[in-house]
């Protein structure tokens, strides 16, 4: 194919540091947020219970909520009971799951565990044949013989997931596509479609590639997003291309069994096309989420306090994209710095809200602490380890937004018990993406928030807590979860 598949390039991360990033992914730099709004409390209380796993909700202004909230859509019959504002997403693979063999059947074997854990949706890896084993350099879209398994195994997996009440999401890679043959110009820009299928053929030519792609000789319109170097960028302004992509997605929905989408590298094409890709398949109000790796703001001293610019970038994309969600990269970056350096003052913005996308638009924010790129075996931008992940999950599983849990964290890293318990606390208290949040304290070594008047969440290493913030047993409060630098109380 003439492509760099698994090479790495060094991308500036912050002054004096670099991080390794895969050339195939071409993710933007991760820049930095917040400085501290220190809320001082004099009275303290020496509580003995350490920290707890919880999730807090953000108190967004009502006018902002009215502006951003969207009506909910019906799901397909098998998962109709799953309301997306209550979603708990599970990433059903890691970076090297493609190397394990028989992955679709491995995931199927874990369905009882996932159901017991309370996961409502599962994000599965790209299903099509791919130049790269992980699936992110797709070739023939309708060929589902991949390193994860075959078409029949995937159909059975989706069927069993839906029978268990878990909504399967496909990882949709449509910013780019690897061509099969060289054209007359000696460049790989001719696509084949060797699988018999319903709908339009996807045997495209140079017309399907953007004219400003620097490497693949495209004859389409200019790119509507960022360039992706390793593979030809697709021209989403072309009606025929979009129509054939929609046909393929309908096939994944109706013939394979998917009920939602995770879109890869959405900054590579215009957000306005999402309304067609979602609306003409599973619906704009199904659980559809995009990956927009926002470039955080870093300064000489590290991550800056104010991350309004990157989170506004995400809001601007969401406003054009219909009912789609986005992964909350600002929250991931801010939370990691807060935990890593004991800088919990970062977890409140100037308006008293959560500092990431969840502070602006919690019902469209999918929060997470790591995924197959940032953590897993790649470790490009990992969350702090040594059980600090418990603190991260205590935050996202008790706060507004829709939390996403990584496969390795649950099944491989010994965090499953803590995560399951926190999910139970979240569900038992009816916490969802729209829950209210009141942040009471955010200093270097302590963070305290009230969520929907049902949970009190404390993060940080400080063992003494202001007396007026300590939940009182005679008022009905009881410890619900504790762990590495966190504690969560619930009201009886």
């Amino acid at each position: 194919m003439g492509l760099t598949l698994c090479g790495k390039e060094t991308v500036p991360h912050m002054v004096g540091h670099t991080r390794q990033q895969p050339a195939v992914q071409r993710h933007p730099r991760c820049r930095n947020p917040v400085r501290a709004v220190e809320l001082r409390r004099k009275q303290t209380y020496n509580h003995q219970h350490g920290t707890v796993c919880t999730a807090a909700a953000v108190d967004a202004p009502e006018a902002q909520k009215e502006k951003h909230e969207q009506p909910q859509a019906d799901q397909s019959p098998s998962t109709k009971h799953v309301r997306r504002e209550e979603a708990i997403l599970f990433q059903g693979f890691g970076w090297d799951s493609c190397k394990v063999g028989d992955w679709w059947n491995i995931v199927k074997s874990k369905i009882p565990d996932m159901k017991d854990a309370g996961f409502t949706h599962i994000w599965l890896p790209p299903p099509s044949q791919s130049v790269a084993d992980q699936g992110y350099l797709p070739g023939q879209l309708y060929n589902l013989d991949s390193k994860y398994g075959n078409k029949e195994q995937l159909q059975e997996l989706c069927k069993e997931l839906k029978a268990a009440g878990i909504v399967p999401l496909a990882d949709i890679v449509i910013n780019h596509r690897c061509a099969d043959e060289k054209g007359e110009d000696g460049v790989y820009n001719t696509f084949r479609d060797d699988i018999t299928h319903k709908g339009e053929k996807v045997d495209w030519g140079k017309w399907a590639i953007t004219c400003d792609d620097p490497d693949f000789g495209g004859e389409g319109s200019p790119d509507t997003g960022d360039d992706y170097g390793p593979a030809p960028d697709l021209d989403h302004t072309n009606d025929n291309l979009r129509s054939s992509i929609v046909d393929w997605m309908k096939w994944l929905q109706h013939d394979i069994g998917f009920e939602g989408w995770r879109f890869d590298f959405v900054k590579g094409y215009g957000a306005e096309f999402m309304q067609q890709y979602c609306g003409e398949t599973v619906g704009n109000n199904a659980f559809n989420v995009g990956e927009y790796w926002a470039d955080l703001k870093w300064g000489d001293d590290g991550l800056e306090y104010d991350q309004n610019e990157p989170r506004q970038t995400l809001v601007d994309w969401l406003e054009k994209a219909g009912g789609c969600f986005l992964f909350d990269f600002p929250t991931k970056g801010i939370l990691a710095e807060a935990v890593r350096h004991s800088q919990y003052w970062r977890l409140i913005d100037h308006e008293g809200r959560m500092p990431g996308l969840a502070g602006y638009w919690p019902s469209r924010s999918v929060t997470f602490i790591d995924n197959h790129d940032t953590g897993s075996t790649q470790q490009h931008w990992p969350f702090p380890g040594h059980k600090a992940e418990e603190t991260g999950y205590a935050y996202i599983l008790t706060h507004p937004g829709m939390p996403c849990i990584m496969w390795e964290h649950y099944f491989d890293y010994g965090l499953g018990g803590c995560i399951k318990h926190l999910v139970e606390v979240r569900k038992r208290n009816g916490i969802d993406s729209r829950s209210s949040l009141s942040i009471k304290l955010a200093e270097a070594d302590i963070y305290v928030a009230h969520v929907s008047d049902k949970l009190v969440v404390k993060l940080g290493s400080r063992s003494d807590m202001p007396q007026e913030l300590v939940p009182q047993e005679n008022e009905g409060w009881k410890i619900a979860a504790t762990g590495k630098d966190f504690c969560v109380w619930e009201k009886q």
Side-chain angles (χ1 to χ4, degrees):
M1 297 295 296
L3 301 176
T4 302
L5 301 183
C6 299
K8 293 183 178 180
E9 59 183 2
T10 299
V11 180
H13 184 212
M14 51 185 281
V15 176
H17 298 266
T18 60
R19 65 180 172 89
Q20 292 297 317
Q21 184 152 303
V24 168
Q25 290 298 88
R26 288 284 177 90
H27 289 310
R29 292 167 294 179
C30 307
R31 297 211 177 280
N32 234 320
V34 243
R35 206 163 206 78
V37 180
E38 299 252 13
L39 307 177
R40 306 280 180 193
R41 308 274 182 170
K42 299 298 182 182
Q43 277 188 307
T44 61
Y45 169 75
N46 187 8
H47 85 89
Q48 307 293 324
H49 306 289
T51 34
V52 181
C53 301
T54 84
V58 176
D59 220 354
E62 287 304 314
Q64 190 175 44
K65 285 185 179 180
E66 292 175 5
K67 175 183 178 182
H68 293 316
E69 301 301 352
Q70 301 289 333
Q72 301 303 305
D74 290 336
Q75 301 290 338
S76 65
S78 62
T79 54
K80 190 173 182 179
H81 64 285
V82 181
R83 300 171 64 236
R84 66 179 194 167
E85 63 266 28
E86 298 174 349
I88 297 174
L89 177 63
F90 184 63
Q91 181 173 6
F93 64 102
W95 182 249
D96 286 330
S97 297
C98 57
K99 300 178 182 179
V100 174
D102 204 30
W103 187 251
W104 297 141
N105 284 334
I106 289 173
V107 176
K108 186 173 74 171
S109 73
K110 297 290 187 180
I111 289 175
D113 297 316
M114 293 185 285
K115 180 178 180 180
D116 187 52
F119 304 148
T120 63
H121 296 68
I122 183 170
W123 154 27
L124 296 173
S128 299
Q129 171 267 333
S130 171
V131 174
D133 290 350
Q134 289 79 10
Y136 290 99
L137 289 176
Q140 297 208 27
L141 299 180
Y142 284 90
N143 182 353
L144 299 192
D145 287 335
S146 72
K147 294 296 183 179
Y148 300 104
N150 60 40
K151 173 184 173 182
E152 291 73 26
Q153 291 170 337
L154 182 56
Q155 287 174 317
E156 180 65 19
L157 171 59
C158 289
K159 176 183 175 181
E160 294 296 322
L161 284 165
K162 291 188 288 186
I166 302 172
V167 180
L169 312 182
D171 201 324
I172 300 296
V173 185
I174 53 174
N175 169 73
H176 52 273
R177 181 185 170 197
C178 289
D180 299 277
E181 300 172 351
K182 291 182 179 180
E184 296 177 355
D185 52 5
V187 177
Y188 279 99
N189 50 29
T190 300
F191 305 88
R192 293 207 316 264
D193 185 12
D194 297 339
I195 304 297
T196 301
H197 57 82
K198 296 177 289 187
E200 296 183 26
K201 297 285 286 183
V202 289
D203 51 352
W204 306 329
K206 292 189 287 186
W207 60 266
I209 303 172
T210 58
C211 63
D212 49 359
D213 187 302
D215 299 310
F216 294 98
E219 296 178 350
S221 297
D223 205 337
T224 54
D226 289 1
D227 177 60
Y228 183 81
D233 282 31
L234 300 179
D235 175 17
H236 291 263
T237 68
N238 187 291
D239 292 344
N240 291 333
L241 181 137
R242 292 199 313 278
S243 177
S244 58
I245 287 176
V246 166
D247 279 354
W248 171 63
M249 293 173 66
K250 286 180 178 178
W251 179 77
L252 290 176
Q253 178 187 3
H254 297 296
D255 287 49
I256 308 304
F258 288 104
E259 294 188 343
W261 316 120
R262 180 268 185 187
F263 290 92
D264 182 64
F265 198 69
V266 296
K267 67 187 304 181
Y269 52 98
E272 61 273 17
F273 303 118
M274 300 298 292
Q275 298 196 44
Q276 180 179 3
Y277 294 139
C278 296
E280 294 184 12
T281 57
V282 295
N284 280 314
N285 288 321
F287 193 107
N288 304 306
V289 57
E291 178 217 29
Y292 194 119
W293 194 325
D295 196 11
L296 303 189
K297 296 173 63 180
W298 298 82
D300 292 344
D301 297 326
L303 190 66
E304 295 179 4
Y305 170 71
D306 189 333
Q307 294 299 318
N308 288 348
E309 182 178 334
R311 62 178 176 168
Q312 185 60 49
T313 297
L314 300 186
V315 168
D316 293 344
W317 187 93
L318 286 168
E319 288 181 332
K320 296 177 183 177
C324 200
F325 308 143
L326 280 176
F327 285 104
D328 194 342
F329 280 89
T331 288
K332 182 262 193 292
I334 294 165
L335 181 60
E337 292 298 295
V339 172
R340 179 179 290 112
H341 300 297
S342 190
Q343 296 174 341
Y344 289 93
W345 44 260
R346 292 181 177 276
L347 299 184
I348 185 171
D349 73 3
H350 292 298
E351 304 298 325
R353 301 168 298 195
M354 293 171 73
L357 173 63
Y360 276 2
W361 205 341
S363 65
R364 303 287 282 278
S365 162
V366 177
T367 55
F368 68 104
I369 68 170
D370 262 331
N371 62 26
H372 63 294
D373 286 325
T374 66
S376 191
T377 52
Q378 294 203 93
Q379 296 288 298
H380 293 312
W381 190 27
F383 201 83
H386 305 292
K387 291 292 186 179
E389 297 100 337
E390 289 188 359
T391 314
Y393 279 114
Y395 182 81
I396 69 170
L397 285 170
T398 56
H399 282 62
M402 289 155 287
C404 180
I405 293 144
M406 191 172 77
W407 177 281
E408 289 102 328
H409 284 166
Y410 193 80
F411 285 119
D412 302 332
Y413 293 0
L415 301 171
C418 176
I419 292 170
K420 181 182 177 182
H421 189 49
L422 287 169
V423 170
E424 290 171 350
V425 172
R426 182 180 183 89
K427 290 193 166 189
R428 186 164 64 238
N429 289 278
I431 305 303
D432 61 30
S433 65
R434 303 183 182 194
S435 294
S436 62
L437 175 73
S438 177
I439 300 172
K440 303 298 184 181
L441 183 63
E443 296 181 350
D445 55 357
I446 188 171
Y447 168 89
V448 181
H450 288 204
V451 188
S452 292
D453 295 322
K454 295 180 178 180
L455 298 180
V456 173
V457 181
K458 180 262 181 190
L459 308 179
S461 61
R462 190 194 299 182
S463 61
D464 57 334
M465 193 170 165
Q467 179 65 43
E468 67 273 21
L469 296 182
V470 177
Q472 300 298 317
E473 188 174 354
N474 61 8
E475 295 177 355
W477 291 99
K478 181 181 178 181
I479 290 177
T482 60
K484 170 67 175 174
D485 288 343
F486 76 86
C487 188
V488 180
W489 293 260
E490 62 185 348
K491 195 135 190 196
Q492 301 300 298

